[in-house]
Amino acid sequence: MVLLFVLGCIFFPGCFAVFRWGLQNHASLQMERQEAVLVASKLVSSVQAIMASTAGYIVSTSCKHIIDDQHWLSSAYTQFAVPYFIYDIYAMFLCHWHKHQVKGHGGDDGGPRALGSTWAVVRGYLHKEFLMVLHHAVMVLVCFPLSVVWRQGKGDFFLGCMLMAEVSTPFVCLGKILIQYKQQHTLLHKVNGALMLLSFLCCRVLLFPYLYWAYGRHAGLPLLAVPAAIPAHVNLGAALLLAPQLYWFFLICRGACRLFRPRGSRPPSPCQTQD
C-alpha cells in the first residue's frame, strides 16, 4: 500500500513537470509559462482519467458477482491515485495564480508578491474552486479510507463503475484548453462539447441509477425498491456524491445552450444565466 502511494506521489507531479517543461521548450511550441502550466495540468488530469477509466472497466467487467468478486486492480489503483487529488489541488491553484498574474495583479517589478496579496489570491482560488477542492478533499479523507477499510474486499464491481466516471474528464480538459485559446467557434470545440455532455450524463449522472439497478437485479428487486432495501448511510453517500455531479452537469448544459444556439438569436431564458 505504501509503495503504491509513494509511486503516485512521484508519478503525477513528475508528469506535470515533464509536460510543462516540454511545452515550454519544444521548438514548435515554446509556450509561455502560464500557458504551459494550464495545458500540462489538463494533460495530467486526462492521463489520470484514462488510467482510472481503464482500470474501472477491467474491474467491473471482471467481477461477475457484484458483491463478492474481487480484482486486485481495484485496491491497487485506488492507493496509487490518491496522491493525484492532493497534487491536483495544488495544480489548480497554480493555474489560478498564473491567471491572476496575467490579469495584471502581480508585483510591480515581477518579484514576489506581498503576503496580503498572496492571501487574496488564495481566498479567490478557494472561492472559485471551492466545490472542486471540497470534492478532492472528500475523495482523500473519506472515500479512500472507506474503500480500503470499510468495504473489506467487497463491492469491487461498484468501485470499478465509479472509476469509469472519469471517462468524461478528457473532454472537460480539452474544452478548457480550447476556451483558453479562444477556439469556441471551431467545429472541434462543438464536437468536444457534445461528447463531454454525453459522457458526463452517462458516466457521472446516470451512473448512480445504474448502480441501484445492478444491485436490484442481483437481489431480485425492482429499481424503485432498492433504496429502501439498502442501509440509509449508503443512500446518503450516493446522494452526496451525486449532488455535485448534478450541479456540474447543469453548468455543462448551460454552456451547451450558449454554444449551439444560432448566432444573433436571443437565447431562451434557461440559457441567459451568466457565469
Side-chain angles (χ1 to χ4, degrees):
M1 176 176 175
V2 175
L3 177 59
L4 289 170
F5 181 85
V6 171
L7 287 175
C9 290
I10 297 171
F11 179 79
F12 295 110
C15 283
F16 175 76
V18 170
F19 284 143
R20 188 180 68 177
W21 181 88
L23 293 167
Q24 287 184 262
N25 294 281
H26 193 280
S28 63
L29 296 174
Q30 295 185 337
M31 291 184 180
E32 296 292 333
R33 180 179 177 85
Q34 61 270 16
E35 294 178 319
V37 166
L38 173 69
V39 176
S41 67
K42 302 310 175 192
L43 288 175
V44 175
S45 295
S46 297
V47 168
Q48 192 283 140
I50 293 170
M51 294 171 64
S53 54
T54 301
Y57 176 79
I58 293 172
V59 171
S60 60
T61 55
S62 299
C63 295
K64 305 306 179 184
H65 192 285
I66 65 172
I67 302 297
D68 295 329
D69 281 1
Q70 296 182 10
H71 195 286
W72 65 270
L73 212 71
S74 61
S75 59
Y77 188 79
T78 302
Q79 295 159 24
F80 174 74
V82 165
Y84 164 77
F85 295 98
I86 302 170
Y87 142 81
D88 198 46
I89 292 175
Y90 171 73
M92 289 189 298
F93 173 73
L94 205 56
C95 292
H96 179 81
W97 176 280
H98 283 291
K99 286 181 181 179
H100 192 77
Q101 286 185 322
V102 169
K103 291 180 179 178
H105 300 294
D108 295 335
D109 58 356
R113 68 176 70 237
L115 180 60
S117 180
T118 299
W119 279 113
V121 176
V122 173
R123 287 195 301 270
Y125 163 68
L126 292 176
H127 176 75
K128 181 181 179 182
E129 302 289 354
F130 173 77
L131 187 57
M132 187 63 76
V133 172
L134 179 63
H135 170 269
H136 282 22
V138 169
M139 293 298 293
V140 174
L141 300 176
V142 180
C143 294
F144 171 65
L146 288 178
S147 67
V148 172
V149 179
W150 179 73
R151 288 193 314 118
Q152 297 182 342
K154 295 185 179 295
D156 280 11
F157 168 82
F158 295 100
L159 180 57
C161 291
M162 295 293 290
L163 288 174
M164 289 182 66
E166 293 290 343
V167 166
S168 63
T169 299
F171 302 113
V172 175
C173 293
L174 178 57
K176 291 184 177 181
I177 293 173
L178 292 173
I179 291 173
Q180 173 70 18
Y181 286 96
K182 296 179 170 55
Q183 298 297 307
Q184 296 95 319
H185 63 284
T186 62
L187 177 62
L188 175 60
H189 183 68
K190 293 183 178 181
V191 171
N192 181 74
L195 292 173
M196 177 175 64
L197 179 66
L198 181 62
S199 61
F200 202 99
L201 173 64
C202 294
C203 298
R204 288 183 179 265
V205 177
L206 298 181
L207 168 67
F208 292 90
Y210 169 75
L211 294 179
Y212 275 71
W213 173 83
Y215 180 82
R217 185 181 63 171
H218 165 78
L221 297 171
L223 174 62
L224 296 180
V226 172
I230 61 179
H233 63 269
V234 176
N235 289 317
L236 176 62
L240 292 176
L241 289 174
L242 177 60
Q245 312 305 328
L246 291 175
Y247 172 72
W248 288 322
F249 184 66
F250 163 74
L251 296 182
I252 292 173
C253 290
R254 189 177 66 179
C257 287
R258 291 196 294 263
L259 179 63
F260 290 103
R261 71 171 180 256
R263 290 187 179 182
S265 63
R266 296 186 62 181
S269 57
C271 306
Q272 290 176 344
T273 307
Q274 299 298 316
D275 287 329

